Amino acid sequence: MSNILGIFNIGKLALFANQRALAVTSQNIANLNTPGYSRQEAVLQSTSPANDLPGQIGTGVQVTEIRRVFDQFIQTQLTSEQSTLGRLDVEKGALAQVEAVFNDAQGTGVSQSLSQFFSALHDLANNPQGIAERTALLEQTRSLISQFSTANNQLQQIRKDLNGEIQGVIGEVNSLATQIANLNGQIRQAEVSGQNANDLRDQRDGLLKDLSEKIDIHTIDGEFGQVNVTVGQGTPLVESKAYTLQGVANADNSGFVKVALDLGTGSTTDITSSIGNGQLKGLIDLRDNLIPGYSDRLDRLAATIVNEVNQQHQAGYGLDGSTGNNFFSPLAPTVTGLSRNTGSGAIGATVNNPTLLTFDPYRLSFAGGNYTIQNLTTGASSTAAYVNPTTITFEGLQINMAGAPANGDTFEISAHQGVAGSMALATTDPRKIAAASSAGGVPGDNSNALLLAQLQEKGVTALGGSTFNDFYGQTVGQIGSDSQAAQHSLTAEKVINENLTQQRGEVSGVSLDEETTNLIKFQRAFEASARLITVADQLLQTILDMKTT
Amino acid sequence: MRVSDQMLFQSVMVQLQRQTDSLFNLQEQVSSGKRINRPSDDPTGEPLVLNYGKTLATTDQYLRNIDRGDSLMTQSDSTLQDVSDQLQRAHELAIQMANATNSPADRANAAKEVKEIFGQLVAMGNRSVEGRYLFAGDQTTTIPFVDHGNYIGTAAALPVTITAGVNDQLTLSVNGVSSTVTLPPGNYASGNALASQVQTTINADPTLSTAGASATVTFDTDHLVVTSNATGGTSAVIPTGGTAQNILGLATGTNRPSGTYLGDSGEISQLIGPNTPVIVNLPGDRVFKGVGVAGGVDVFSAVAGLQGALETNNVAGIQAALTNISAAQEQVTNERVTLGARLNRMDATKTVLSDFKLSITQFKSNIENIDLTQAISDLSLQQTALQATRAVAARLIQTSLLDFLH
């Protein structure tokens, strides 16, 4: 029915609708710089028309929905790329620190010390009777030892720092998960009654993105706008409530933490190995694989230097006629029992034949009354019945087993683990340095010093046939390319991220010019709607005037 | 395409950051002069740089070894030159004195000169450089040649009791003059007192003192050492008998006449390249004693023989000595030739190593260092680009529709 009151009504609806649209515009303008904000728009729709003659007539306008302009696909990609970004970012940072440890460009480093050590040996060969040359060699050796120890300490410090970061990130993940669970509740409350929880969804998207930076997540949409989050191989992190991650000290990994999820069932699930991306993955990888790998190479280098120099040194004679002396403190293989061992086996290892040492890791395990010793690199192993006590020799090592190891007890044996940090001089008496190869009291005999100096050019089997210097160079090269790869990947990932952010901006970003235009547009419409009411009022007045005349 | 304001600011920021970042990198390169400032700047280049660095260090070391060996060998060579000169003079004297026209007095005078030559030769054999004896083999801290002939006794059991008419006789030959001395009776608990008494007794002997022979007796730890006070080819102390010989430890000691070699045959090598040792010394037993040389002669015996022949006016002996001295000259010359060949090899290696060092330095620099011209031009290009971006950004973010609405 079309009458003047209808016009009143249309005017009123138009005022309301445009005022709402203006409110939406102002919210957009206000959030121009809010990260993660998606622009909103008031969806205007004409109200149901009234039937009339000669045809239907409109009844006005209403805002049917305040819609978030948003592309779920882009958002999902952005969230998942965030995981890669987080991982690469920590990798790049930590590898830059590792590089600083191996940076010989400034003239101080293992490489320089190694050259100076061998120079000192040459000088000794040039004047084997010289106490000054002998003292200088001891000093150079101390400096070499200190370079190794510094590099080792720095690597271990980086690992400790990474472990600390892992604990920090676990805390952040928990906080984010809790916030997401809270927002889930709020969104549910709003959307169950048919509202659009636009701003809350934006907030939650932001949190999901932040969470994804820490750990790779999967999200599943539930009813009423809920989102369920899983980590690792589908372990739930957020359902109707958030579960907590815990850093649990792992005795078999230097007390470093493993990541466990507490599902509130009284026990925790270790998800460390199933974390596939994000800062946590990067941190764990660096702490448990990459840096221990570099550390191992450093140890291996230190151990071969100790082993080769000692063997040659033992063959010679000092100024005081002594022979068979070590130059460095001899290698002391490490034996580490796993924390789950239950037996009372006492396992010891010593170097039996230095020429046979391979510097590979070994595993000694007990099962069914037998022991098995295995070289974990080559796979070579030997098994025999265990009798208390048993002494065997295996690839240059002598392994002493005693006590009562239980079935399944496992020990890890290494001849080089930690050597970079524990190298030491065997003697501080310069006269004991064995420059001579003939029996004592021959001050001019330098033939053993010559052989020691020539170790610099010797390919060492335990270093894959490389010389000490080459092996160190390869290590530096490997670290360099790991670091470079992380940098390049990060740069590439940032570009992907920027592109996605731009794409998101294209859809969801607030444009000030657009909003200003809208502002004017809705203001004009508002003004015209007001005018409509004035006109309707005048029309009514005219009719009322008709009666009085 | 819709462009939101955040996109605009974001992209300006990213651009500015990216350009500042590469400007920073270029600045680091220019200020350090190096293209590789950390391993990741060139993961394949850095190991090469390290390797070249190590090669340079070892090359420097080999050059140092060569210098060290050069100095030892040059000193040895010039010493052998002096030895040749002295032998030449002895040779001349021998020829001259073999002539029948010379009187015994002439020969006695010549003997004095030959004695001096002998002393010179011993002094040359004992030359040292930086505290190392050149001709001692591996015994570089032991003076290689005895210049005062001596006799080192075996342990004397203290206290020593000398009883008159029982064990007070000692017959000894000093510089070839033999005499029997009689020690005064007494009880010697101190080795030094014993040595002092033996020395006094020897030097008081008229036969020895008339012939100009005297000795110094010392007590070293547990044994007596009797040293002739004379130098030269005849300088020697040899106890030959007497009742006191046993208790004084002089019956089974070591006789070391002047010119005895105390070094060993050790040859000392130095590395002048990887696994390239070069022998840098001449053991004294080889050069001066002819040990290990086919038809080798003892240089000192040859000269001592001449001295003895001249002193005893023995013309046949002079002629025999002449032959020996010629052989000694040839022997020393041959050793000098060996030395010269090694010196040449060292010098040639030095040239090779210096050239090698130069090219390695060049290789290292090519990988490690920046081309400064290129880098600075890149730097200013980057600066210009950054300025342009800033200018554009300033315009872009300055205006909006709001500026035109009233």
Side-chain angles (χ1 to χ4, degrees), chain A residues 340-360:
Chain A
R340 61 173 161 77
N341 289 355
T342 53
S344 62
I347 312 298
T350 52
V351 175
N352 166 255
N353 186 345
T355 57
L356 295 180
L357 287 179
T358 63
F359 298 109
D360 288 331

Side-chain angles (χ1 to χ4, degrees), chain A residues 325-388:
Chain A
N325 292 326
N326 279 315
F327 184 77
F328 290 105
S329 298
L331 294 174
T334 57
V335 179
T336 321
L338 292 192
S339 62
R340 61 173 161 77
N341 289 355
T342 53
S344 62
I347 312 298
T350 52
V351 175
N352 166 255
N353 186 345
T355 57
L356 295 180
L357 287 179
T358 63
F359 298 109
D360 288 331
Y362 296 94
R363 179 183 294 147
L364 177 66
S365 48
F366 292 88
N370 290 330
Y371 69 83
T372 301
I373 173 89
Q374 188 183 20
N375 178 326
L376 295 179
T377 304
T378 62
S381 71
S382 101
T383 302
Y386 171 68
V387 184
N388 181 13

Side-chain angles (χ1 to χ4, degrees), chain A residues 31-37 39 99-100 102-107 111-112 115 118-120 122-123 125-129 133 438 440-446 450-451 453-454 456-457 467 469-470 472-474 476-484 487 491 494-495 498 501-517 519-520, chain B residues 1-12 14-15 17-18 28 32 34 36-44 46-51 53-55 57-58 60-62 64-66 68-69 72 129-133 137-142 264 266-278 280-281 364 368 399-402 405-406:
Chain A
N31 286 292
L32 181 69
N33 292 320
T34 308
Y37 177 76
R39 78 187 158 101
E99 270 196 86
F102 288 86
N103 195 356
D104 288 51
Q106 310 307 323
S111 175
Q112 302 277 336
S115 284
F118 282 106
S119 270
H122 274 280
D123 286 344
N126 287 344
N127 189 16
Q129 68 178 50
E133 278 82 355
S438 48
V442 193
D445 179 5
N446 67 353
L450 289 178
L451 291 171
Q454 287 183 89
Q456 189 178 20
E457 308 291 344
T467 63
N469 282 87
D470 282 347
Y472 182 74
Q474 289 157 15
V476 171
Q478 192 193 320
I479 290 166
S481 57
D482 286 350
S483 175
Q484 193 192 45
Q487 285 169 32
T491 310
K494 274 183 173 165
V495 170
E498 273 157 28
T501 310
Q502 294 286 36
Q503 281 183 42
R504 187 187 182 282
E506 273 183 43
V507 178
S508 305
V510 177
S511 156
L512 201 52
D513 285 351
E514 183 183 330
E515 298 304 331
T516 312
T517 313
L519 189 67
I520 307 295
Chain B
M1 179 178 108
R2 267 190 91 252
V3 177
S4 68
D5 284 63
Q6 268 193 4
M7 283 162 73
L8 203 67
F9 286 102
Q10 175 101 25
S11 110
V12 164
V14 166
Q15 282 303 325
Q17 236 161 28
R18 208 166 275 165
E28 186 189 31
S32 70
K34 283 180 178 173
I36 305 178
N37 288 294
R38 56 191 66 73
S40 61
D41 288 343
D42 187 348
T44 47
E46 177 67 4
L48 281 177
V49 169
L50 287 180
N51 192 25
K54 177 236 153 194
T55 308
T58 48
D60 274 336
Q61 184 64 46
Y62 291 135
R64 222 158 84 186
N65 296 355
I66 289 177
R68 194 73 193 245
L72 279 177
V129 174
E130 296 161 28
R132 303 168 74 182
Y133 291 103
D138 281 330
Q139 298 290 357
T140 47
T141 51
T142 305
D264 62 18
E267 290 184 320
I268 298 172
S269 295
Q270 280 186 349
L271 290 168
I272 61 166
N275 306 314
T276 318
V278 168
V280 295
N281 74 326
K364 182 166 180 263
E368 184 183 33
T399 58
S400 87
L401 181 58
L402 285 170
L405 289 173
H406 301 288

Side-chain angles (χ1 to χ4, degrees), chain B residues 143-190:
Chain B
I143 189 159
F145 294 102
V146 175
D147 59 348
H148 289 70
N150 56 32
Y151 189 90
I152 297 172
T154 49
L158 291 172
V160 170
T161 306
I162 307 282
T163 311
V166 177
N167 60 357
D168 58 352
Q169 298 279 304
L170 179 64
T171 310
L172 74 170
S173 146
V174 180
N175 308 340
V177 183
S178 193
S179 182
T180 299
V181 299
T182 307
L183 292 159
N187 191 344
Y188 302 93
S190 136

Side-chain angles (χ1 to χ4, degrees), chain A residues 236-263:
Chain A
L237 180 66
V238 179
E239 286 174 328
S240 54
K241 63 171 206 161
Y243 301 107
T244 35
L245 285 187
Q246 286 175 354
V248 183
N250 181 358
D252 292 328
N253 188 13
S254 319
F256 289 145
V257 296
K258 54 186 177 188
V259 183
L261 192 65
D262 183 359
L263 289 172

